[in-house]
Amino acid sequence: MKLLLVEDNRELSTWLTKLLTQSGYAVEQAFSGEDAAHFLLTQTYDAILLDLTLPGIKGQTLLKNLRSRNNEVPVLIISALDTLSDVIENLNLGADDYMAKPFDIHELEARLRSLLRRSKGKASPLISCGTLHYDSNSKIFNAHGQDLSFTPREHSILEALIRNAHKTVSKKNLTDSLFTLNDSVSPKALEIYIVRLRKKIEGSGAQIITLRGLGYMLTYEAQT
């Protein structure tokens, strides 16, 4: 899952990016409103963490512009502006949630997971494709009662696929959701990860199908 973190406090941004990356997110950092505006016009994100008091273009303006383009990406505001009127105003502008600084990182992650579930139309943290199960809270994959182990990249790819089970996910969308602009990615990297994943989920009934020219699909074939 790819996040845009819009925060001008570089120390806070670096700390959040490190923790969120350890939790399996790909995080793009924007330190000003102008940087964020550019990223939002050229990149696709699963959610945005947005500070309000930014140099240049303010957070509220970014939010207004985003919603005026009918972009419904989930937005979680993180701000030191914590009066009730601040919260109400920004929720009315189109924010999905609001957290006042300072905040607890565990609460931030819980709210982020909730936003991502709602954006995918799923109220439960449990997602399944046949006997392959994923708990988006614990971030654990399980098949036939056994927890499965993946590298961070493999985990992120399989998570993207199971969140869109039985749907085609293009190579571009997979790559965009996994890598930031600062990542150096080989053109063959995604194919290599897919080959590894196919081996690791053998026996679960779930399978990754290549749709030539379109992308990949995680689907389930009933065992006979």
Side-chain angles (χ1 to χ4, degrees):
M1 308 294 281
K2 188 174 180 180
L3 310 177
L4 176 62
L5 173 58
V6 189
E7 170 60 64
D8 65 315
N9 183 320
R10 291 178 179 263
E11 184 177 355
L12 175 58
S13 180
T14 299
W15 176 73
L16 280 174
T17 297
K18 179 180 179 181
L19 293 177
L20 291 169
T21 301
Q22 289 173 349
S23 295
Y25 297 102
V27 183
E28 202 94 74
Q29 294 173 280
F31 300 109
S32 70
E34 284 80 3
D35 287 344
H38 173 72
F39 288 148
L40 290 170
L41 288 174
T42 59
Q43 303 294 311
T44 301
Y45 301 96
D46 295 290
I48 299 169
L49 301 178
L50 177 63
D51 187 20
L52 296 177
T53 54
L54 300 167
I57 302 174
K58 301 303 180 185
Q60 283 187 336
T61 303
L62 286 171
L63 180 58
K64 288 178 185 178
N65 293 342
L66 191 70
R67 296 310 188 218
S68 70
R69 298 195 299 270
N70 296 316
N71 188 326
E72 298 182 356
V73 60
V75 175
L76 171 57
I77 287 179
I78 49 173
S79 176
L81 303 176
D82 60 354
T83 66
L84 181 58
S85 61
D86 289 322
V87 175
I88 292 173
E89 180 182 4
N90 288 284
L91 290 177
N92 286 338
L93 285 175
D96 297 274
D97 202 353
Y98 196 110
M99 291 191 69
K101 298 176 182 176
F103 49 78
D104 181 86
I105 185 62
H106 301 295
E107 181 183 359
L108 175 70
E109 287 195 73
R111 292 201 188 193
L112 184 56
R113 287 193 297 267
S114 179
L115 283 184
L116 291 168
R117 287 199 303 270
R118 294 205 304 268
S119 71
K120 300 296 183 181
K122 297 181 181 296
S124 171
L126 299 177
I127 309 171
S128 298
C129 181
T131 59
L132 179 65
H133 308 288
Y134 178 63
D135 186 327
S136 62
N137 282 346
S138 65
K139 294 189 174 293
I140 292 176
F141 281 97
N142 179 286
H144 300 299
Q146 298 293 320
D147 292 344
L148 303 180
S149 178
F150 303 101
T151 67
R153 291 293 191 206
E154 291 168 353
H155 187 286
S156 295
I157 293 170
L158 190 56
E159 179 182 355
L161 290 172
I162 200 169
R163 285 181 181 274
N164 296 279
H166 311 296
K167 299 178 183 177
T168 303
V169 183
S170 71
K171 289 185 177 181
K172 182 180 185 304
N173 285 345
L174 265 182
T175 302
D176 286 347
S177 70
L178 296 171
F179 304 105
T180 68
L181 294 174
N182 293 325
D183 290 327
S184 177
V185 184
S186 162
K188 292 293 183 180
L190 185 57
E191 287 86 347
I192 293 171
Y193 289 127
I194 292 294
V195 169
R196 293 176 182 171
L197 281 171
R198 284 179 173 139
K199 293 180 180 179
K200 291 188 176 184
I201 64 173
E202 282 181 355
S204 70
Q207 56 181 338
I208 301 173
I209 298 174
T210 300
L211 300 171
R212 196 167 299 280
L214 297 175
Y216 300 100
M217 178 190 296
L218 181 71
T219 188
Y220 179 70
E221 183 178 17
Q223 302 299 295
T224 57

